[in-house]
Amino acid sequence: MFFNKHKNHKLSKNLLLPSLTADYNKVIFFFLLLCCMFQTMNAQDKKSSVPELRPKIEIIARPFKDSILLRWAPNNSVLWEDANKTGYILERVTLLRDSKPLAVPEHRILTPRPLFPIPLMNWEKAVKSNKYAAIAAQAIYGETFDVKNKTATDLYSVVTKVKERDTRFSFALFAADQSPEVAKLSGLWYTDTDVKNNEKYLYRVFPGNNKVKADTGFVYTGASEYQPLPKPIDLKAGFADHKVNLTWNHRYFKQIYNAYILERSDDGGIAFHPVTNEPLVNLIPSDKADPELFYKTDSLPENGKTYYYRVKGLNSFGETSDPSDVISGAGHQAISFTPYLTENFKTDNKKVTLKWEFPSDKNNEISGFKLARSSNPKTGFKYIAENINVESREYTDEKPMLTNYDVISAYSRYGEEVRSMPVIVQTVDSIPPAPPIYLEGHIDTTGRVSLCW
């Protein structure tokens, strides 16, 4: 939800790092690769990128009947670094009671002492059991967070420090998004338990020392606004040879879910299991246009066996939605050979018979052939025969044009189609044009003759 921005700060006072397992180190390396990819995409789009956002703290709320969960994050790495030192202050303003505005809104500071990331020593327990805690602790307190090791000029050092801070920032926010525990340890979470069902609140969060001059984050909600999480929608699948391409609607719930769990069943839809060890996250940078769909490809152990899929949404508060509707299908062998036209011959210059080649031992891969033609070799192809028998290797065009570009396609019952290169077929133009008619002429006084027809 908040991870889409940037990255930085210092950790491994090397007393936490020894406690990280090899698996945690692999996780950190994986996220380093993600970060490099983000930096590359952002650099490539530099010329067309939008102006940098004004520093601000973004905040979201999740109301329940007995509490309201609050999550926030800065949208800027400089602000993030400063707020880690000065903390966050959360204020609640009661504006409505019993559906009536209060004559004097009630202000209350919920954090008399600003919220900070917890001290380094207190991360050790979480690091041992939560890989995201290891990432966040390294990002906030690590002595170094270098993706590369180089000696360079002072200018290079400045640029490297900026990139390192941005890297830490992105890692820390990503980890907090994936783990409520990490969000709390990072000073980015508050649970307001002193709420009433008949009241509405405006929550404001701002840095303890606003020297970066950041905009205050605010959200308006109340305990009565609780709603269950919606289930993901529009799950679709395209099954192919030992794989399936899945999509579901991402844009509709992008403000609710920051990750997804894709599950598969191979026992008729009775038991479902995640297809990946980690939740699926959107890797599109925030300054890009939001894609409408989320894409995921899964490999299938067997062709011909029916597999069932469903997807669940995960939000920044650690909640998991109910699963989407279930879809199913089976992988199938792909068409492994493309037919091609080999010859054509004309009958009385009125019909054209076309022949093609396709291995007979591949007939089991297809349902038949389709023949299309156009007067243009690149566009405008229209089928003139769509259900040619799988055993056939020729077709007669009863009404050819003077110039024909013909293509032959093999298709399967799974919607797959492979098409040959176009072949030109021309009939002989043996019909002469009609003779000119209405020939007329006249001679003027100078003896000049004018003719028309």
Side-chain angles (χ1 to χ4, degrees):
M1 185 67 68
F2 295 112
F3 173 70
N4 273 337
K5 324 282 185 188
H6 304 302
K7 339 156 193 175
N8 177 31
H9 214 90
K10 295 188 174 182
L11 164 88
S12 81
K13 298 285 194 216
N14 290 331
L15 63 111
L16 277 187
L17 287 187
S19 68
L20 300 180
T21 64
D23 288 339
Y24 290 159
N25 289 328
K26 290 178 182 177
V27 170
I28 292 177
F29 177 71
F30 168 72
F31 284 107
L32 282 169
L33 293 179
L34 282 182
C35 173
C36 292
M37 184 168 65
F38 277 117
Q39 288 179 326
T40 300
M41 288 188 290
N42 286 333
Q44 290 173 342
D45 197 49
K46 198 77 173 179
K47 293 182 180 179
S48 60
S49 62
V50 296
E52 187 173 349
L53 295 174
R54 176 182 172 87
K56 179 183 179 181
I57 298 178
E58 307 280 358
I59 182 172
I60 57 176
R62 176 66 171 144
F64 289 90
K65 294 180 180 180
D66 59 351
S67 62
I68 295 176
L69 310 183
L70 298 150
R71 276 275 286 113
W72 59 86
N75 69 346
N76 176 289
S77 64
V78 176
L79 174 58
W80 172 79
E81 187 175 59
D82 182 68
N84 283 341
K85 301 172 184 176
T86 62
Y88 300 92
I89 297 174
L90 182 65
E91 179 187 31
R92 188 183 77 186
V93 184
T94 306
L95 297 178
L96 246 63
R97 183 172 291 127
D98 296 324
S99 301
K100 297 178 182 179
L102 297 184
V104 180
E106 298 175 0
H107 292 255
R108 177 182 173 187
I109 298 297
L110 299 178
T111 55
R113 181 180 179 276
L115 291 176
F116 296 85
I118 66 169
L120 175 64
M121 291 297 298
N122 296 342
W123 283 84
E124 187 168 4
K125 181 179 179 181
V127 163
K128 291 180 179 179
S129 60
N130 186 333
K131 55 182 171 288
Y132 295 112
I135 295 167
Q138 183 70 35
I140 297 171
Y141 293 111
E143 290 181 356
T144 61
F145 209 85
D146 290 335
V147 179
K148 310 171 195 172
N149 242 334
K150 288 185 180 178
T151 58
T153 63
D154 290 341
L155 177 60
Y156 178 85
S157 298
V158 171
V159 172
T160 300
K161 276 188 173 294
V162 172
K163 288 185 176 180
E164 180 181 336
R165 183 187 63 219
D166 287 348
T167 301
R168 292 173 180 272
F169 173 53
S170 283
F171 278 38
L173 295 196
F174 180 87
D177 257 358
Q178 303 308 308
S179 169
E181 179 185 21
V182 171
K184 295 171 185 176
L185 298 177
S186 302
L188 302 174
W189 177 299
Y190 185 87
T191 301
D192 187 3
T193 56
D194 186 18
V195 297
K196 298 179 181 178
N197 207 45
N198 64 334
E199 295 179 339
K200 292 291 181 64
Y201 310 107
L202 177 70
Y203 291 95
R204 301 173 64 245
V205 61
F206 45 90
N209 179 354
N210 199 9
K211 71 177 183 179
V212 180
K213 301 192 182 305
D215 290 343
T216 297
F218 60 87
V219 64
Y220 179 71
T221 190
S224 62
E225 293 187 357
Y226 166 80
Q227 290 184 345
L229 293 177
K231 65 181 184 180
I233 60 174
D234 297 338
L235 178 60
K236 298 178 181 177
F239 288 85
D241 188 6
H242 281 95
K243 71 175 184 178
V244 56
N245 298 311
L246 299 121
T247 63
W248 58 91
N249 191 297
H250 166 70
R251 182 178 296 164
Y252 196 73
F253 296 132
K254 68 178 182 178
Q255 300 300 330
I256 299 176
Y257 299 126
N258 61 359
Y260 296 92
I261 298 174
L262 180 65
E263 298 180 328
R264 183 180 77 193
S265 170
D266 56 6
D267 62 358
I270 299 173
F272 283 86
H273 306 283
V275 300
T276 57
N277 293 330
E278 302 297 332
L280 303 172
V281 296
N282 177 32
L283 296 180
I284 303 297
S286 61
D287 58 348
K288 306 285 184 180
D290 288 314
E292 179 180 358
L293 301 176
F294 198 108
Y295 296 85
K296 174 61 181 172
T297 298
D298 187 31
S299 59
L300 302 175
E302 300 178 39
N303 276 341
K305 179 177 180 177
T306 301
Y307 293 93
Y308 298 78
Y309 286 89
R310 68 186 190 186
V311 64
K312 299 176 180 178
L314 296 176
N315 69 8
S316 295
F317 298 99
E319 296 178 279
T320 304
S321 74
D322 288 336
S324 67
D325 293 340
V326 175
I327 60 171
S328 63
H332 55 273
Q333 185 174 359
I335 300 175
S336 57
F337 192 89
T338 301
Y340 60 95
L341 292 164
T342 56
E343 59 179 303
N344 64 83
F345 54 88
K346 307 165 190 70
T347 304
D348 299 330
N349 203 43
K350 295 180 180 179
K351 301 178 182 179
V352 174
T353 299
L354 301 118
K355 292 188 176 183
W356 61 88
E357 287 192 6
F358 188 86
S360 57
D361 61 352
K362 305 291 184 183
N363 284 355
N364 63 317
E365 298 176 3
I366 65 173
S367 298
F369 299 96
K370 299 178 181 181
L371 184 67
R373 76 178 181 200
S374 173
S375 59
N376 186 304
K378 296 182 178 179
T379 62
F381 285 93
K382 295 182 178 179
Y383 291 115
I384 59 174
E386 296 190 56
N387 296 293
I388 303 174
N389 189 278
V390 69
E391 301 289 344
S392 298
R393 297 296 184 271
E394 69 175 57
Y395 181 83
T396 299
D397 184 356
E398 301 282 348
K399 297 179 179 180
M401 301 182 292
L402 290 178
T403 299
N404 309 267
Y405 288 93
D406 293 291
V407 294
I408 187 71
S409 300
Y411 67 93
S412 73
R413 62 188 178 93
Y414 303 104
E416 185 180 8
E417 182 176 341
V418 292
R419 175 178 285 188
S420 72
M421 295 292 291
V423 172
I424 186 171
V425 179
Q426 291 181 303
T427 57
V428 178
D429 187 2
S430 60
I431 302 175
I437 59 175
Y438 305 125
L439 176 64
E440 296 179 0
H442 69 274
I443 302 175
D444 61 21
T445 56
T446 65
R448 182 174 178 172
V449 178
S450 297
L451 299 170
C452 64
W453 60 89

